[in-house]
């Protein structure tokens, strides 16, 4: 079967990182200790090279306006944005992994390979226009993440976290697949658009409603929304810091983008499930539970995990508003969230806090050792709190504004109050870094440790801190260049 140049251009963004993922495990064949440093350097360089190759190819498609397709894979504006989003997040994770895995003493090629396979699955998840291909993308992104959670096998919590993620993920995947099967049985099609049209032309019945509800549950699990959020704190705590950051950003982002595609196609049928009311309840519960639980955490990673749950609530509020401007706000929010969360998780690696040493007591006074990185991470946390003029403020502003314009004033007020509550727990880390003195035990352990160097993780955190400020100072540029173009080109019926 011949494949045309246009069809090839639709799958190259998947093939480039997939090729790197297949080649990276070959590095494990070299057992010579004399060359191990060179082999490790080559592995990380190859991973970054493949991510950069995919990134530049997708940006070329974006610049030319081409939106190629190959079968059920549609590399349209939404998929191109998802590709750029995922590859940038993966590149920041790879930079942080170089330092983190050396600190853990567990540098393995399969870690990078699994990360690239997961990135491929994420792009496929958003590019798929067929329910079965959507499910395959979901599994391809999820299975490597289960293994990545337990990748540092010397840690006691790693296996437990990986198994917990696998079991709960299997339930979500089963729900997603069963929903797809029921919708196929009702409509006779697996194409997302055709399923939406068939549902709109018929009276909703119990099977169609059940199928749509099960499908939505699969998405809400990946978003970490309440009541499907229980796995999130334990899994984030068990995984290496860069992997936790990558999961919190990329998994949530592609789940939201794929959900936008499904909702845009009319699944579930308008009015059949009162989808807006259901999303409103889930969004408010997610906001309240995420923020209140984050207040009580003494572990920084668990605090950031509950923070990620609360941010899912903000994003879901954008779906409740349902306007083109709200969809644009969601896209803008995701970009801001990427740099803010990768910077917040990255500071832990920069300070050498591996394993279970991730409590607020462990970081007391450490900001003065690397003030530049601590300030950059603090800027990311201020952005997560929604403090102007940081990037996170404008993402929330766009969504709250659309909620008010659509008459959902109470939900907008709830979102503002939740943001005010979050200021307390986001400020705990900068306060601990700069204003609190370390304990005698922590000072003694720090003096016994060799001097820490984390150049690549530090560079990633600095870039994130700078971007949080730049995006906040020039929000219109990002919104016009990316967010609005995704909405107008992918969802023209919303105009």
């Amino acid at each position: 079967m011949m494949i045309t140049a246009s069809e090839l251009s639709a799958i190259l963004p998947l093939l480039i990182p997939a090729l790197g993922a297949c080649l990276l495990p070959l590095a494990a064949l070299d057992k010579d200790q004399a060359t191990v440093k060179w082999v490790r350097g080559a592995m990380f360089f190859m991973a970054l090279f493949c991510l950069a190759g995919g990134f530049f190819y997708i940006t070329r498609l974006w610049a030319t306006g081409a939106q190629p397709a190959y079968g059920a894979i549609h590399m349209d504006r939404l998929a191109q944005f998802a590709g750029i989003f995922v590859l940038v997040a993966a590149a920041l994770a790879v930079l942080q992994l170089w330092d983190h895995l050396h600190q853990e003493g567990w540098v393995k090629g399969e870690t990078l390979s699994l990360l690239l396979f997961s990135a491929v699955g994420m792009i496929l998840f958003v590019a798929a226009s067929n329910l079965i291909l959507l499910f395959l993308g979901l599994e391809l992104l999820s299975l490597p993440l289960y293994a990545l959670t337990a990748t540092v096998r010397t840690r006691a919590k790693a296996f437990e976290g990986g198994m917990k993620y696998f079991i709960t993920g299997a339930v979500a995947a089963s729900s997603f697949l069963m929903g797809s099967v029921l919708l196929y049985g009702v409509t006779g099609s697996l194409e997302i658009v055709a399923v939406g049209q068939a549902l709109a032309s018929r009276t909703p019945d119990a099977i169609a409603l059940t199928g749509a509800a099960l499908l939505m549950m699969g998405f809400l699990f990946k978003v970490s929304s309440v009541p499907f959020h229980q796995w999130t704190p334990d899994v984030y705590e068990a995984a290496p810091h860069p992997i936790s950051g990558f999961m919190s950003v990329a998994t949530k982002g592609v789940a939201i983008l794929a959900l936008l595609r499904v909702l845009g196609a009319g699944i579930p049928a308008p009015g059949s499930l009162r989808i807006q009311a259901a999303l409103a309840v889930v969004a408010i519960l997610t906001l309240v539970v995420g923020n209140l639980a984050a207040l009580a955490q003494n572990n920084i990673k668990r605090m950031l995990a509950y923070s990620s749950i609360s941010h899912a609530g903000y994003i879901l509020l954008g779906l409740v508003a349902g306007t083109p401007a709200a969809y644009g706000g969601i896209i803008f929010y995701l970009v801001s969230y990427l740099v803010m969360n990768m910077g917040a998780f990255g500071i832990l690696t920069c300070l050498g806090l591996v394993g279970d040493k991730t409590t607020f007591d462990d970081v007391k006074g450490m900001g003065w050792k690397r003030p530049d990185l601590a300030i950059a991470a603090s800027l990311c946390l201020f952005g997560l709190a929604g403090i102007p003029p940081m990037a996170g403020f404008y993402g929330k502003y766009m969504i709250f504004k659309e909620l008010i314009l659509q008459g959902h004033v109470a939900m907008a007020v709830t979102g503002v109050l939740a943001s005010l509550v979050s200021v307390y727990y986001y400020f705990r880390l900068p306060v601990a870094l700069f204003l609190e003195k370390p304990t005698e035990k922590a000072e003694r352990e720090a003096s016994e440790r060799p001097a820490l160097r984390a150049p690549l993780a530090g560079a990633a955190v600095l870039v994130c801190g700078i971007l949080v400020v730049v995006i906040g100072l020039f929000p219109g540029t990002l919104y016009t260049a990316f967010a609005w173009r995704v909405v107008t080109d992918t969802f023209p019926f919303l105009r």
Side-chain angles (χ1 to χ4, degrees):
M1 183 179 69
M2 294 295 293
I3 182 170
T4 66
S6 176
E7 291 172 335
L8 181 62
S9 65
I11 57 174
L12 267 180
L14 302 169
L15 293 180
I16 294 172
L19 178 63
C22 292
L23 294 177
L24 278 169
L26 297 179
L29 298 176
D30 185 9
K31 303 296 185 183
D32 189 350
Q33 292 298 317
T35 60
V36 64
K37 291 184 178 179
W38 292 101
V39 172
R40 289 176 179 177
M43 288 190 313
F44 278 81
F45 176 79
M46 181 185 296
L48 288 173
F49 181 78
C50 292
L51 293 171
F55 173 83
F56 285 112
Y57 190 81
I58 295 177
T59 53
R60 181 171 168 271
L61 290 178
W62 183 283
T64 59
Q67 301 186 53
Y70 178 63
I73 299 175
H74 284 221
M75 197 54 62
D76 57 7
R77 286 285 189 209
L78 190 67
Q80 290 172 23
F81 170 78
I84 294 171
F85 179 83
V86 169
L87 295 175
V88 170
L92 290 171
V94 169
L95 289 173
Q96 295 179 17
L97 276 171
W98 170 264
D99 294 315
H100 183 87
L101 294 180
H102 278 87
Q103 292 171 9
E104 294 260 22
W106 191 269
V107 185
K108 305 291 182 183
E110 64 262 27
T111 303
L112 299 175
S113 178
L114 290 168
L115 182 67
L116 292 188
F117 272 126
S118 182
V120 172
M122 290 175 179
I123 300 173
L124 178 63
F125 190 50
V126 180
S129 62
N130 178 293
L131 288 175
I132 292 301
L133 197 60
L134 199 66
F135 175 74
L136 291 177
L138 176 66
E139 288 300 281
L140 185 54
L141 79 87
S142 299
L143 291 175
L145 290 179
Y146 305 149
L148 282 170
T149 301
T151 188
V152 183
R153 295 190 287 276
T154 54
R155 294 180 55 195
K157 291 184 178 179
F159 181 75
E160 177 187 348
M163 280 303 295
K164 187 173 291 186
Y165 195 17
F166 171 73
I167 293 171
T168 52
V171 174
S174 303
S175 166
F176 191 96
L177 185 60
M178 183 58 70
S180 300
V181 170
L182 290 178
L183 290 176
Y184 174 71
V186 171
T187 64
S189 176
L190 290 170
E191 295 297 321
I192 295 174
V193 174
V195 170
Q197 292 172 346
L199 290 176
S201 63
R202 56 182 286 136
T203 304
D205 55 32
I207 297 178
L209 293 175
T210 304
L214 289 172
L215 197 69
M216 292 297 111
M217 284 174 57
F219 283 111
L220 293 177
F221 172 87
K222 287 300 176 188
V223 174
S224 298
S225 64
V226 175
F228 311 104
H229 67 290
Q230 293 91 342
W231 58 275
T232 310
D234 292 340
V235 171
Y236 284 13
E237 187 179 9
H241 310 332
I243 299 301
S244 300
F246 178 72
M247 285 192 292
S248 70
V249 168
T251 306
K252 193 187 307 295
V254 297
I256 288 291
L257 295 173
L259 181 58
L260 286 177
R261 187 184 295 283
V262 170
L263 291 175
I267 305 174
S272 62
L273 267 182
R274 300 182 65 82
I275 184 66
Q276 192 181 41
L279 283 176
V281 172
V282 171
I284 295 300
L285 286 176
T286 305
L287 271 180
V288 173
V289 173
N291 278 294
L292 293 182
L295 288 173
Q297 303 305 314
N298 287 319
N299 185 295
I300 297 169
K301 289 181 75 176
R302 293 186 72 86
M303 181 273 285
L304 290 174
Y306 281 108
S307 152
S308 78
I309 294 171
S310 70
H311 282 275
Y314 295 118
I315 297 171
L316 290 175
L317 285 178
L319 293 179
V320 174
T323 64
Y327 278 31
I330 291 173
I331 303 293
F332 182 94
Y333 198 106
L334 289 176
V335 176
S336 306
Y337 185 67
L338 188 160
V339 294
M340 293 185 300
N341 235 34
M342 291 303 295
F345 274 101
I347 190 62
L348 298 176
T349 297
C350 295
L351 297 176
L353 300 172
V354 298
D356 298 329
K357 293 184 176 301
T358 54
T359 67
F360 285 101
D361 288 339
D362 294 319
V363 302
K364 286 181 178 178
M366 295 190 74
W368 298 109
K369 294 184 177 180
R370 290 302 305 270
D372 51 343
L373 300 180
I375 290 173
S378 298
L379 292 174
C380 294
L381 291 163
F382 296 160
L384 288 168
I387 296 176
M390 305 304 165
F393 167 77
Y394 290 100
K396 292 180 180 176
Y397 168 77
M398 293 174 190
I399 291 174
F400 295 162
K401 177 185 173 184
E402 287 305 307
L403 279 173
I404 294 172
L405 291 176
Q406 298 304 310
H408 306 299
V409 179
M411 279 189 279
V413 172
T414 305
V416 173
L417 292 176
S419 294
L420 292 176
V421 170
S422 72
V423 171
Y424 171 77
Y425 61 77
Y426 284 129
F427 269 61
R428 286 183 66 189
L429 184 54
V431 168
L433 286 170
F434 289 109
L435 301 180
E436 294 183 352
K437 292 183 179 179
T439 61
E440 291 183 3
K441 179 184 176 184
E443 284 187 321
R444 186 172 61 254
E445 290 178 352
S447 64
E448 294 172 352
R449 283 197 297 264
L452 176 69
R453 294 184 60 196
L456 296 185
V461 171
L462 281 176
V463 168
C464 291
I466 293 171
L467 286 177
V468 168
V469 177
V470 171
I471 294 174
L473 292 177
F474 306 100
T477 304
L478 175 63
Y479 186 82
T480 306
F482 280 95
W484 191 244
R485 290 184 69 180
V486 172
V487 174
T488 55
D489 289 357
T490 311
F491 309 105
F493 51 87
L494 287 175
R495 293 176 186 174

